[in-house]
Amino acid sequence: MTRRLDISDLTKAFGAAPPVLGPLSLTLDGEGITAIIGRSGSGKSTFLRCLSGLETPTRGTAMLGGKPIRPAEVGFVFQEPRLMPWLSVRRNIAFGLSHLPKPERARAVEAAMALVGLSAAADYLPKQLSGGMAQRVALARALAPRPDLLLLDEPLSALDPLTRERMQDHILHVAQHIRVTILLITHDMDEALALANRVIVLRGPPGRIVLDVTIPEHDPAYAFPRDRTSAAFQAMRRRLIDALEPAPVALAR
Amino acid sequence: MAEHSVTAAALTARHQTAGSAASVRRLPGFGWSVGLIVPIMVLLLWQLAAGGAWIEADLLPSPATIAQTFWAMVQDGSLANDILVTVYRLALGFVLGTAAGTVAGLLTGALPLARRLLDPTLQALRSVPSLAWVPLFILWFGIYDTSKVILIAVGVFFPVYLNLMAAIAGVDRKLIEVGRVHDYGKLRLMLRIQLPAAMPLYLTGIRGGLGLGWMFIASAEMMGANNGLGFILTNGEEIGRPDQIIVAILAFAVLGKSTDWLLARTAERLTDWQDKLHPETGA
């Protein structure tokens, strides 16, 4: 069982400028993927960076299992792979494992590589990898320390459509095979609906939750892999679009 | 499993592309020997001109005379001796200058306060011409090796310092963030991200430093020495032996080029992870 993530009144402002995020409250209980969608400037990346410790929230708290989140409990995948170009795939994946004894570290790396299908590429350098493979290394690097919370900051947006779809399969595979709470940021509604069991729509600035829907897991219409052409999928998609883009009041007037 | 085989195939394909690109760049049958064409042509013309007495032998002796002088200096051991002395001074100055440049570069690169404090002064000192230091260093450290070694160290210091400072300060913020999400402290960020990332530029600085070291040692040895390649130069001028001067110049050229090549090769090995369009050995 994963630990509960409680976010309460989280607010972030940069300097004296008006806040870009919040106040935002949210509880995540259990495994699976929660997708956060929003337009540019809705504060979704800032939200994730506050959870990861890259930014310090101006106000509010984020607790994991009742305690403030520690960096060791969080895995983070950025928009770009951000691999260390001088390290092999294996050593990139071991990047967050230096506290472990060697045999344990090797086991954790092997497990993470197997999870994303990279075992054959262990000794290659980042310059020898395709974009999709590099992003899988980044995913494995985030997973290797066995985090409780995996934060994905638009990890697929730089990939071509075909690679993106295969990468979505990898993320789904991870969500189904290890115990981890996943927060996925995306601006792609279809991606959110194809992967998540909960979708949250942010609108801002300052970023606030305008829609929070739980996808009915036991409804056969939403069984994985999801049929993107089904009526249920399309209806849900419509709801998200409406939430992202409010009715153009100014024009109607 | 299918996933793995696809991965392996993709890697192989990428390797083949890289391999064929490399073979296109290399001209078959030539390689580094292309660089010899111009010197050989010049040498032939020069010998012809000297043989035809178109140039005065007192000012510019023929290549054959220079070769004889060279051989004589090899046989009596004087050339080897002077080369050893020069290389010894250069090596000491190089190590000293690199060490000082590394410490200063690390400090100013990592700590903005240190940069604001030290960099303006160091930049001002950088503009001082090498020869301007010589009288002061001779006063302070005497006429013997110490003053020469210090002068070389000054020459080596600046490129090492400047490149390392720029490299450390300019490490991609995105990579630093990867360290921060893995809970890296300042020291681990430095050791595991900033230093390796700074390596290519640092090595460029060291290479530049070595080049300046060779220039400074010529100045140092010409200002007051009784041995070394620089001494052969001034001595050749005093006793009117242009052949001796040219032998020393050629020795400087060969030694400078060889040590640079060695450093470039080492640098390339240390930074072969870089995704470069044209690997450059400097050969």
Side-chain angles (χ1 to χ4, degrees):
Chain A
M1 195 61 207
T2 52
R3 289 185 292 163
R4 207 169 112 124
L5 175 68
D6 282 302
I7 295 158
S8 92
D9 289 330
L10 199 76
T11 309
K12 177 67 186 174
F14 291 97
V20 292
L21 177 74
L24 192 149
S25 297
L26 177 68
T27 298
L28 290 186
D29 206 355
E31 296 146 31
I33 301 175
T34 298
I36 298 183
I37 63 174
R39 296 173 160 279
S40 308
S42 60
K44 51 192 196 304
S45 271
T46 307
F47 173 55
L48 230 53
R49 291 172 66 88
C50 283
L51 296 186
S52 71
L54 284 175
E55 303 287 354
T56 313
T58 312
R59 269 195 312 282
T61 53
M63 315 281 265
L64 194 60
K67 291 179 191 155
I69 303 177
R70 289 181 301 118
E73 298 166 326
V74 179
F76 200 105
V77 180
F78 296 89
Q79 198 167 344
E80 328 78 15
R82 301 196 187 185
L83 305 179
M84 303 301 142
W86 54 89
L87 297 179
S88 65
V89 165
R90 189 193 303 279
R91 296 186 63 193
N92 261 294
I93 294 173
F95 198 74
L97 300 174
S98 44
H99 58 287
L100 292 180
K102 237 182 178 177
E104 242 177 279
R105 197 187 315 160
R107 266 200 299 278
V109 170
E110 291 304 328
M113 281 197 296
L115 197 63
V116 296
L118 273 172
S119 303
D123 295 314
Y124 286 96
L125 284 169
K127 69 174 179 182
Q128 295 166 306
L129 305 175
S130 66
M133 285 169 79
Q135 198 55 303
R136 266 149 66 200
V137 178
L139 181 60
R141 176 178 64 190
L143 288 169
R146 304 306 299 260
D148 294 284
L149 182 63
L150 179 63
L151 307 175
L152 308 176
D153 188 5
E154 302 200 45
L156 313 183
S157 61
L159 303 176
D160 65 87
L162 208 67
T163 314
R164 189 182 306 177
E165 240 172 79
R166 287 184 50 201
M167 191 71 193
Q168 288 173 359
D169 295 341
H170 282 291
I171 292 175
L172 211 51
H173 179 81
V174 166
Q176 288 164 348
H177 286 84
I178 63 168
R179 286 183 173 165
V180 61
T181 304
I182 300 178
L183 260 176
L184 166 73
I185 290 222
T186 174
H187 56 251
D188 180 345
M189 280 172 299
D190 290 339
E191 187 170 287
L193 284 174
L195 299 178
N197 36 28
R198 184 173 170 189
V199 181
I200 291 167
V201 178
L202 285 192
R203 215 160 64 202
R208 289 200 177 121
I209 297 175
V210 291
L211 182 70
D212 182 348
V213 275
T214 303
I215 313 273
E217 268 178 84
H218 303 295
D219 186 338
Y222 293 106
F224 290 112
R226 287 182 182 151
D227 175 6
R228 299 181 188 211
T229 58
S230 74
F233 193 99
Q234 289 302 322
M236 193 63 90
R237 194 173 188 277
R238 195 66 244 166
R239 272 184 80 185
L240 297 185
I241 293 176
D242 289 344
L244 277 170
E245 227 163 337
V249 183
L251 283 180
R253 220 184 274 161
Chain B
M1 274 300 108
E3 181 63 58
H4 289 188
S5 58
V6 168
T7 304
L11 284 169
T12 318
R14 277 176 71 82
H15 266 236
Q16 280 166 352
T17 325
S20 60
S23 62
V24 167
R25 279 199 298 274
R26 211 168 290 152
L27 288 173
F30 284 103
W32 60 272
S33 55
V34 174
L36 290 177
I37 294 175
V38 171
I40 288 173
M41 296 285 285
V42 170
L43 225 55
L44 281 174
L45 281 174
W46 182 358
Q47 183 64 43
L48 276 174
W54 301 334
I55 42 179
E56 265 183 78
D58 287 352
L59 294 181
L60 186 58
S62 72
T65 313
I66 293 166
Q68 278 166 9
T69 307
F70 167 75
W71 187 238
M73 287 168 78
V74 168
Q75 279 191 319
D76 67 13
S78 64
L79 184 64
N81 204 31
D82 285 313
I83 285 179
L84 271 180
V85 167
T86 297
V87 168
Y88 167 75
R89 287 172 184 147
L90 180 85
L92 277 186
F94 177 69
V95 168
L96 206 66
T98 303
T102 303
V103 171
L106 278 178
L107 264 178
T108 51
L111 308 171
L113 179 67
R115 180 156 64 246
R116 287 209 298 274
L117 272 174
L118 293 175
D119 190 53
T121 310
L122 290 173
Q123 294 285 358
L125 290 177
R126 188 167 74 101
S127 328
V128 177
S130 63
L131 284 178
W133 292 112
V134 172
L136 200 59
F137 285 177
I138 288 178
L139 266 181
W140 285 351
F141 306 111
I143 190 85
Y144 299 108
D145 278 1
T146 313
S147 56
K148 296 176 183 59
V149 168
I150 303 271
L151 184 71
I152 295 155
V154 167
V156 175
F157 172 84
F158 285 105
V160 175
Y161 160 71
L162 287 173
N163 279 278
L164 185 58
M165 176 179 67
I168 295 280
V171 171
D172 190 354
R173 175 189 57 82
K174 292 180 171 177
L175 292 186
I176 303 279
E177 281 187 353
V178 174
R180 288 184 52 210
V181 297
H182 285 100
D183 207 14
Y184 275 26
K186 279 212 159 102
L187 183 67
R188 272 218 291 174
L189 281 178
M190 175 58 82
L191 292 176
R192 298 214 43 205
I193 300 179
Q194 285 168 286
L195 276 184
M199 196 50 89
L201 206 51
Y202 177 51
L203 291 169
T204 304
I206 290 182
R207 233 179 118 184
L210 183 69
L212 272 188
W214 278 110
M215 301 199 178
F216 275 45
I217 198 169
S219 310
E221 289 184 341
M222 283 170 74
M223 290 301 284
N226 52 13
N227 53 9
L229 286 175
F231 167 73
I232 300 185
L233 292 175
T234 42
N235 181 251
E237 184 200 341
E238 280 162 15
I239 61 175
R241 289 280 305 275
D243 49 339
Q244 184 181 314
I245 296 177
I246 291 172
V247 168
I249 288 177
L250 289 176
F252 268 126
V254 170
L255 285 171
K257 181 71 189 161
S258 323
T259 48
D260 181 64
W261 179 81
L262 214 65
L263 213 54
R265 282 295 298 269
T266 314
E268 195 156 291
R269 279 211 189 140
L270 285 174
T271 58
D272 64 349
W273 46 266
Q274 284 185 295
D275 202 0
K276 284 196 287 191
L277 185 59
H278 299 296
E280 202 248 322
T281 54

